[in-house]
Amino acid sequence: MTQIAFIGLGNMGGPMAANLVNAGHAVTGFDLSPQARQVAEQAGLVFASDVQEATANADVIITMLPAGKHVLSVWGDIIPHAKTGSVLIDSSTIDVESARAAHKMAAAAGLLSVDAPVSGGVGGASAGTLTFMCGGADDAFAAASPILQKMGKRIVHCGGAGSGQAAKICNNMILGISMIATAEAFALGEKLGLSHQALFDVASTSSGQSWSLTSYCPVPGPVPASPANHGYKPGFAAALMLKDLKLSQDAAKAAGASTKLGELATALYASFNAQGHADMDFSGIIEMVRAAKG
Ligand code: NAD
């Protein structure tokens, strides 16, 4: 049986680790937060007293942490004690540079590694329907895939080290920009006397179509499951959208790429967060768009 260590049992890591237990794996977990222990034990994980204890006998080590500095610090603690032949998977959303540095640390110790950030949110983590965007060598991806399949329904190999993070932040930059574009179109339509349903019926079957419109419509009505129908309860919190947009801008700067709309979307989500909406679903930005004077 594959022994798995899971570090970072928060909103995402908790249910992801639970799915590995449900798939019949022995999972040892660790999290700095004492609240995580109870949730982990209820899900059937063994809760270790530190990172080294959690990872000592693991064939697969998964991290699901807030940012690059946490991943580099935890991987720095794990790697010297990791079992020969084990594979490290980081599913956190972090900057491309840190992801590449983490791969280098693993390679220097002769270990396989994959950056495998996810999309699908807490709902996808619980249902085991996440999409994993993976970066790393072919043999590392081959070793990680069977485990990722227990937590997700699409596993995409995007290329070498850091490519998973690159795909994730490029995708989420499109998402942030397209949500603002959709919100602006509805706010303009309202001022022009156009009903939400009429705009939806036209744009969802025309060239204005996008995921932000057809799956996550920022006004209540046309897409009953969208957060707009539930007081903009997340979903995907505005704080996380801002985090991902900032990562896209750091990457653009480092790569010398011009992302003018990405820059503007980052500034708009920064204002939205600063107005006290960090915990609101990111589609709630329509309220700020509507209130802005032209
Ligand atoms: P979270 O804050 O709920 O969980 C992170 C966990 O890491 C916390 O429980 C924290 O105690 C733990 N942690 C921090 N440092 C640690 C350390 N040194 N050792 C052990 N545990 C440590 O965050 P989350 O929502 O689960 O997100 C995790 C990652 O997934 C983030 O990178 C986030 O950007 C990404 N992500 C989140 C979502 C979402 O909808 N929540 C969606 C996609 C991606």
Side-chain angles (χ1 to χ4, degrees):
M1 191 200 297
T2 309
Q3 287 281 337
I4 301 176
F6 208 114
I7 312 300
L9 301 165
N11 293 324
M12 295 292 291
M16 288 165 72
N19 281 330
L20 293 173
V21 173
N22 294 337
H25 293 293
V27 186
T28 304
F30 177 70
D31 192 295
L32 288 179
S33 154
Q35 288 99 299
R37 173 187 283 269
Q38 209 186 346
V39 179
E41 288 177 345
Q42 268 167 8
L45 274 77
V46 174
F47 196 86
S49 56
D50 58 31
V51 163
Q52 280 93 346
E53 186 189 313
T55 56
N57 295 313
D59 305 299
V60 177
I61 299 169
I62 304 171
T63 47
M64 192 55 170
L65 298 165
K69 63 179 183 200
H70 306 100
V71 174
L72 289 175
S73 155
V74 168
W75 279 37
D77 289 342
I78 291 171
I79 285 172
H81 309 280
K83 218 163 97 174
T84 310
S86 55
V87 54
L88 281 85
I89 302 171
D90 179 46
S91 282
S92 328
T93 303
I94 66 171
D95 59 290
V96 175
E97 211 176 306
S98 296
R100 290 188 174 141
H103 276 279
K104 261 198 191 134
M105 283 163 59
L111 300 171
L112 298 174
S113 58
V114 178
D115 55 293
V118 301
S119 80
V122 177
S126 302
T129 56
L130 293 168
T131 293
F132 286 89
M133 294 152 261
C134 304
D138 289 348
D139 53 350
F141 178 71
S145 277
I147 300 300
L148 299 179
Q149 277 159 10
K150 307 282 170 44
M151 300 182 285
K153 69 171 177 3
R154 277 202 81 215
I155 322 293
V156 185
H157 192 189
C158 300
S163 301
Q165 297 294 350
K168 163 90 187 174
I169 58 176
C170 288
N171 178 74
N172 280 18
M173 189 176 79
I174 297 173
L175 177 61
I177 293 168
S178 75
M179 182 53 76
I180 294 168
T182 307
E184 287 187 350
F186 275 105
L188 173 60
E190 287 166 5
K191 289 196 165 63
L192 299 175
L194 190 59
S195 77
H196 291 160
Q197 194 62 48
L199 177 54
F200 180 85
D201 288 345
V202 172
S204 64
T205 53
S206 306
S207 44
Q209 193 272 337
S210 72
W211 186 90
S212 293
L213 178 71
T214 56
S215 296
Y216 219 81
C217 190
V219 294
V223 178
S226 79
N229 299 282
H230 307 101
Y232 297 102
K233 194 169 157 280
F236 187 54
L240 287 172
M241 174 48 79
L242 179 59
K243 172 190 168 178
D244 292 358
L245 284 169
K246 282 181 172 167
L247 290 175
S248 77
Q249 294 313 288
D250 291 346
K253 215 171 275 165
S258 168
T259 55
K260 294 286 177 217
L261 290 181
E263 194 179 327
L264 193 51
T266 308
L268 290 168
Y269 272 105
S271 302
F272 188 56
N273 275 262
Q275 288 172 15
H277 302 306
D279 295 332
M280 198 176 191
D281 186 78
F282 81 109
S283 60
I285 198 161
I286 191 166
E287 294 188 350
M288 187 178 94
V289 169
R290 218 180 246 134
K293 294 261 176 296

